[in-house]
Amino acid sequence: MVLSVSPTDSSVPQNVSALKEWDVQCQLLTTGRVSLLLRKGGIMETHDGFEVEHRQFLLYPTFLHQNPQELRGEYQALLHPDPAPGEIALPALAEVVAVQKVESLEGALRLEPLQALTAGAIERRFHYRNRLWLHALLLRVRPLITPLTLEETPDLLGCVSWVPLGDLRVEAGPPAVSEEELEQRQEELQHLLST
């Protein structure tokens, strides 16, 4: 698998996976309107502590479990039906810049302005399976120069977060958010979690 990250980055990851996320969230990340995801699933906890399963991955937009009631009002207009059932259009490459395990509901709720979910959705995810935490992932997102369209085969289906992909070649362009803006968003994230 060959993955071009940028003209100045010579690293080529050996294995690339995709992270399933609501289509609206993928749209917001790909356009740079947000850089933060709040996740409970798809993340591994090892005996050494928390780790993100993949540091780089493609965004895999999903429509099946997208819940309009859990999206903030200003993002409702981005909701639409799946334009091509049976196909997946992967829009961007994401790189994890920072990960925070948030273990207080108050801290999690303070992050509402930085991402797409409502306070109610954040609270529901925080309490999911009676494990009182969630993870905040700050992402550097690079839209693909040509979005990658795949047939949605049976091995891509199911309620899983991470999907390994086959032998692919994709090329990502510049980040959707400047490094200065991403640093400001990271500082705001740290500030909100430290108050």
Side-chain angles (χ1 to χ4, degrees):
M1 179 176 302
V2 178
L3 185 68
S4 300
V5 176
S6 74
T8 59
D9 186 349
S10 61
S11 64
V12 180
Q14 294 302 306
N15 295 300
V16 175
S17 290
L19 177 68
K20 289 187 174 183
E21 185 55 75
W22 290 356
D23 175 69
V24 169
Q25 301 252 49
C26 290
Q27 290 180 58
L28 293 169
L29 290 163
T30 301
T31 58
R33 290 175 68 181
V34 302
S35 297
L36 188 71
L37 279 181
L38 298 180
R39 297 288 301 211
K40 190 74 167 244
I43 305 298
M44 285 177 52
E45 286 237 60
T46 67
H47 65 281
D48 293 327
F50 169 73
E51 268 193 71
V52 175
E53 195 167 330
H54 301 283
R55 289 286 175 178
Q56 281 189 337
F57 48 86
L58 294 169
L59 295 177
Y60 182 131
T62 60
F63 295 85
L64 183 61
H65 297 296
Q66 198 163 233
N67 185 342
Q69 287 77 33
E70 294 197 341
L71 285 169
R72 292 173 49 203
E74 61 265 41
Y75 303 131
Q76 295 285 322
L78 297 174
L79 287 163
H80 60 84
D82 189 343
E87 290 185 348
I88 302 299
L90 305 168
L93 173 71
E95 176 188 351
V96 177
V97 174
V99 180
Q100 293 285 333
K101 185 173 183 180
V102 184
E103 298 182 278
S104 86
L105 178 58
E106 295 75 19
L109 291 173
R110 282 196 294 270
L111 301 180
E112 183 183 4
L114 304 185
Q115 51 77 64
L117 299 175
T118 63
I122 294 170
E123 184 169 358
R124 184 184 65 78
R125 289 184 182 204
F126 183 86
H127 289 290
Y128 182 63
R129 293 185 177 170
N130 290 320
R131 297 161 70 187
L132 303 181
W133 49 264
L134 54 73
H135 291 100
L137 282 74
L138 186 72
L139 303 176
R140 177 183 294 110
V141 178
R142 292 181 167 99
L144 298 185
I145 291 172
T146 302
L148 177 66
T149 301
L150 301 176
E151 180 185 354
E152 193 170 38
T153 57
D155 57 317
L156 298 179
L157 298 175
C159 294
V160 295
S161 293
W162 297 105
V163 179
L165 300 176
D167 194 21
L168 301 173
R169 180 178 184 87
V170 296
E171 190 173 357
V177 172
S178 72
E179 286 303 304
E180 291 174 344
E181 174 65 22
L182 192 59
E183 284 178 21
Q184 290 176 2
R185 292 180 183 188
Q186 186 169 6
E187 288 171 6
E188 188 173 5
L189 172 64
Q190 297 298 333
H191 172 73
L192 290 172
L193 290 177
S194 64
T195 56

